[in-house]
Amino acid sequence: MPVRLTERDGDLVLTHAERSFALAHVVDGEYRYAGWSEQRTLQLGNDHVVLHARHGRALTSQHVSLPAADSSPASA
């Protein structure tokens, strides 16, 4: 099931299945789940998302490529 990122009342909302999570802006294109600490954040790019997890001073990051948008016309 795909994950959707939408804007609601000026805030970003991440939705998967029937669950929605508000995202709080941290810095330039980086967000965290509202109510969570800044130890786990999402950095949004045009064609990727980087998931950051901080453990003390150590930082672990995972780069996830997004599928290309289907720009082909719908068939009739």
Side-chain angles (χ1 to χ4, degrees), residues 26 30-32 36-42 51-60:
V26 178
E30 193 165 354
Y31 297 83
R32 64 176 169 78
W36 287 32
S37 71
E38 294 182 19
Q39 288 182 321
R40 290 177 183 84
T41 61
L42 305 170
L51 311 169
H52 298 288
R54 292 172 181 85
H55 305 280
R57 293 184 181 181
L59 173 65
T60 302

Side-chain angles (χ1 to χ4, degrees), residues 1-4 8 13-22 36:
M1 175 157 285
V3 172
R4 287 183 297 136
R8 185 187 318 160
V13 177
L14 183 118
T15 304
H16 179 262
E18 295 182 18
R19 298 197 59 185
S20 294
F21 305 92
W36 287 32

Side-chain angles (χ1 to χ4, degrees), residues 5 12 14 23 28-31 42-50 66:
L5 190 61
L12 287 179
L14 183 118
L23 298 178
D28 270 343
E30 193 165 354
Y31 297 83
L42 305 170
Q43 187 173 17
L44 307 176
N46 291 333
D47 61 351
H48 66 280
V49 173
V50 181
L66 299 175

